[in-house]
Amino acid sequence: MGKQAAPRRVGDKEALAVGTTIRGSAQKLNLVAALIRGRKAGEAMSILQFSPKAMAVEVRKVLASAIANAENNHNLDVDALVIKEASVGKSISMKRFATRARGRSTRIVKPFSRLRIVVREQEEA
């Protein structure tokens, strides 16, 4: 007997993608994620395409991955996808030191963030 498959963490009509180490603060990433929550997938992709925020590039990559997972792994209709969840959290922080005057130093913290996007196939109303 082989290893049992892990149970799905999302529903039957849902697909998931996670960006684990996105360079930048969770606060800045959350501002961009708020732009797409609850919107249709195609509309969200175009919003991210023309957003001036730098984090929009990373969010767009994760959203494209979620859409591809929905299409290829779960056989969902791409045109009927809606963003059910776009949650942001903290990941690791790189700690660095910068030299300062008079032999002192300052700590520099370079934060990383996590992004979890869940898309759901919405029934036509």
Side-chain angles (χ1 to χ4, degrees), residues 25-48:
S25 71
Q27 185 177 9
K28 290 177 184 177
L29 185 61
N30 195 34
L31 289 172
V32 178
L35 294 174
I36 64 168
R37 282 190 190 108
R39 296 189 186 262
K40 291 190 174 185
E43 181 186 351
M45 287 294 275
S46 61
I47 287 170
L48 294 171

Short mmCIF file of all heavy atoms in Angstrom, two decimals, residues 25-48:
data_model
loop_
_atom_site.label_atom_id
_atom_site.label_comp_id
_atom_site.label_asym_id
_atom_site.label_seq_id
_atom_site.Cartn_x
_atom_site.Cartn_y
_atom_site.Cartn_z
N SER A 25 6.87 43.96 2.30
CA SER A 25 6.10 43.86 3.53
C SER A 25 4.69 43.36 3.27
O SER A 25 4.12 43.57 2.19
CB SER A 25 6.04 45.21 4.23
OG SER A 25 5.22 46.10 3.51
N ALA A 26 4.11 42.72 4.27
CA ALA A 26 2.75 42.20 4.16
C ALA A 26 1.75 43.33 4.02
O ALA A 26 0.72 43.18 3.36
CB ALA A 26 2.43 41.34 5.38
N GLN A 27 2.03 44.47 4.61
CA GLN A 27 1.12 45.61 4.54
C GLN A 27 1.00 46.12 3.10
O GLN A 27 -0.11 46.38 2.62
CB GLN A 27 1.64 46.73 5.45
CG GLN A 27 0.72 47.93 5.54
CD GLN A 27 1.23 48.98 6.49
OE1 GLN A 27 2.36 48.90 6.98
NE2 GLN A 27 0.42 49.97 6.76
N LYS A 28 2.12 46.23 2.41
CA LYS A 28 2.09 46.69 1.02
C LYS A 28 1.42 45.65 0.11
O LYS A 28 0.69 45.99 -0.82
CB LYS A 28 3.50 46.97 0.52
CG LYS A 28 4.12 48.18 1.15
CD LYS A 28 5.55 48.36 0.67
CE LYS A 28 6.22 49.51 1.38
NZ LYS A 28 7.63 49.64 0.96
N LEU A 29 1.68 44.38 0.37
CA LEU A 29 1.08 43.31 -0.42
C LEU A 29 -0.43 43.27 -0.21
O LEU A 29 -1.19 43.04 -1.15
CB LEU A 29 1.71 41.98 -0.03
CG LEU A 29 1.30 40.75 -0.82
CD1 LEU A 29 1.65 40.91 -2.28
CD2 LEU A 29 1.97 39.52 -0.26
N ASN A 30 -0.88 43.52 1.01
CA ASN A 30 -2.30 43.50 1.31
C ASN A 30 -3.06 44.61 0.59
O ASN A 30 -4.22 44.44 0.24
CB ASN A 30 -2.53 43.59 2.82
CG ASN A 30 -3.92 43.20 3.21
OD1 ASN A 30 -4.53 42.33 2.60
ND2 ASN A 30 -4.44 43.85 4.22
N LEU A 31 -2.42 45.75 0.37
CA LEU A 31 -3.06 46.83 -0.38
C LEU A 31 -3.41 46.39 -1.79
O LEU A 31 -4.47 46.73 -2.32
CB LEU A 31 -2.14 48.05 -0.43
CG LEU A 31 -1.95 48.83 0.86
CD1 LEU A 31 -0.87 49.89 0.68
CD2 LEU A 31 -3.25 49.47 1.30
N VAL A 32 -2.53 45.63 -2.42
CA VAL A 32 -2.77 45.15 -3.78
C VAL A 32 -3.77 44.00 -3.77
O VAL A 32 -4.64 43.92 -4.64
CB VAL A 32 -1.45 44.72 -4.45
CG1 VAL A 32 -1.69 44.19 -5.84
CG2 VAL A 32 -0.50 45.90 -4.50
N ALA A 33 -3.67 43.11 -2.78
CA ALA A 33 -4.60 41.98 -2.70
C ALA A 33 -6.03 42.46 -2.50
O ALA A 33 -6.98 41.84 -2.97
CB ALA A 33 -4.18 41.04 -1.57
N ALA A 34 -6.20 43.58 -1.79
CA ALA A 34 -7.54 44.13 -1.56
C ALA A 34 -8.19 44.60 -2.85
O ALA A 34 -9.42 44.62 -2.95
CB ALA A 34 -7.45 45.28 -0.57
N LEU A 35 -7.38 44.94 -3.85
CA LEU A 35 -7.94 45.39 -5.13
C LEU A 35 -8.68 44.28 -5.87
O LEU A 35 -9.58 44.56 -6.66
CB LEU A 35 -6.81 45.90 -6.05
CG LEU A 35 -6.07 47.16 -5.63
CD1 LEU A 35 -4.91 47.41 -6.56
CD2 LEU A 35 -7.01 48.34 -5.61
N ILE A 36 -8.30 43.01 -5.62
CA ILE A 36 -8.85 41.92 -6.43
C ILE A 36 -9.81 41.01 -5.67
O ILE A 36 -10.45 40.16 -6.29
CB ILE A 36 -7.72 41.06 -7.03
CG1 ILE A 36 -6.90 40.37 -5.95
CG2 ILE A 36 -6.85 41.89 -7.95
CD1 ILE A 36 -5.98 39.31 -6.45
N ARG A 37 -9.94 41.17 -4.36
CA ARG A 37 -10.81 40.28 -3.60
C ARG A 37 -12.25 40.35 -4.10
O ARG A 37 -12.81 41.43 -4.23
CB ARG A 37 -10.79 40.64 -2.12
CG ARG A 37 -9.56 40.15 -1.42
CD ARG A 37 -9.64 40.31 0.08
NE ARG A 37 -8.34 40.02 0.66
CZ ARG A 37 -7.54 40.95 1.16
NH1 ARG A 37 -7.92 42.20 1.22
NH2 ARG A 37 -6.38 40.61 1.64
N GLY A 38 -12.84 39.19 -4.35
CA GLY A 38 -14.24 39.11 -4.76
C GLY A 38 -14.50 39.41 -6.22
O GLY A 38 -15.65 39.36 -6.66
N ARG A 39 -13.50 39.69 -7.00
CA ARG A 39 -13.69 40.03 -8.42
C ARG A 39 -13.55 38.81 -9.31
O ARG A 39 -13.02 37.79 -8.90
CB ARG A 39 -12.68 41.09 -8.85
CG ARG A 39 -12.86 42.40 -8.13
CD ARG A 39 -11.97 43.45 -8.76
NE ARG A 39 -11.99 44.68 -8.02
CZ ARG A 39 -12.75 45.73 -8.35
NH1 ARG A 39 -13.55 45.67 -9.38
NH2 ARG A 39 -12.69 46.83 -7.63
N LYS A 40 -14.00 38.93 -10.55
CA LYS A 40 -13.81 37.87 -11.54
C LYS A 40 -12.32 37.80 -11.89
O LYS A 40 -11.61 38.79 -11.85
CB LYS A 40 -14.63 38.14 -12.78
CG LYS A 40 -16.11 38.01 -12.54
CD LYS A 40 -16.86 38.06 -13.84
CE LYS A 40 -18.33 37.77 -13.57
NZ LYS A 40 -19.10 37.70 -14.81
N ALA A 41 -11.88 36.61 -12.26
CA ALA A 41 -10.45 36.38 -12.49
C ALA A 41 -9.91 37.23 -13.64
O ALA A 41 -8.83 37.82 -13.52
CB ALA A 41 -10.20 34.91 -12.75
N GLY A 42 -10.64 37.31 -14.74
CA GLY A 42 -10.19 38.11 -15.88
C GLY A 42 -10.09 39.58 -15.56
O GLY A 42 -9.15 40.28 -15.95
N GLU A 43 -11.08 40.07 -14.82
CA GLU A 43 -11.09 41.48 -14.41
C GLU A 43 -9.92 41.76 -13.47
O GLU A 43 -9.26 42.80 -13.57
CB GLU A 43 -12.43 41.78 -13.72
CG GLU A 43 -12.61 43.19 -13.26
CD GLU A 43 -13.89 43.39 -12.46
OE1 GLU A 43 -14.72 42.47 -12.40
OE2 GLU A 43 -14.03 44.48 -11.88
N ALA A 44 -9.66 40.84 -12.55
CA ALA A 44 -8.56 41.00 -11.60
C ALA A 44 -7.21 41.02 -12.32
O ALA A 44 -6.33 41.81 -11.95
CB ALA A 44 -8.59 39.89 -10.57
N MET A 45 -7.04 40.19 -13.33
CA MET A 45 -5.78 40.17 -14.08
C MET A 45 -5.54 41.52 -14.76
O MET A 45 -4.43 42.03 -14.78
CB MET A 45 -5.79 39.05 -15.12
CG MET A 45 -5.65 37.67 -14.53
SD MET A 45 -4.06 37.36 -13.77
CE MET A 45 -3.12 36.86 -15.17
N SER A 46 -6.60 42.11 -15.33
CA SER A 46 -6.42 43.41 -15.99
C SER A 46 -6.17 44.53 -14.99
O SER A 46 -5.41 45.46 -15.27
CB SER A 46 -7.62 43.73 -16.89
OG SER A 46 -8.79 43.81 -16.13
N ILE A 47 -6.79 44.47 -13.81
CA ILE A 47 -6.53 45.46 -12.76
C ILE A 47 -5.06 45.41 -12.36
O ILE A 47 -4.39 46.44 -12.23
CB ILE A 47 -7.44 45.22 -11.54
CG1 ILE A 47 -8.87 45.62 -11.86
CG2 ILE A 47 -6.93 45.98 -10.32
CD1 ILE A 47 -9.87 45.21 -10.80
N LEU A 48 -4.55 44.19 -12.18
CA LEU A 48 -3.15 44.03 -11.77
C LEU A 48 -2.18 44.43 -12.88
O LEU A 48 -1.09 44.93 -12.62
CB LEU A 48 -2.89 42.59 -11.33
CG LEU A 48 -3.63 42.15 -10.07
CD1 LEU A 48 -3.47 40.66 -9.86
CD2 LEU A 48 -3.16 42.93 -8.86
#
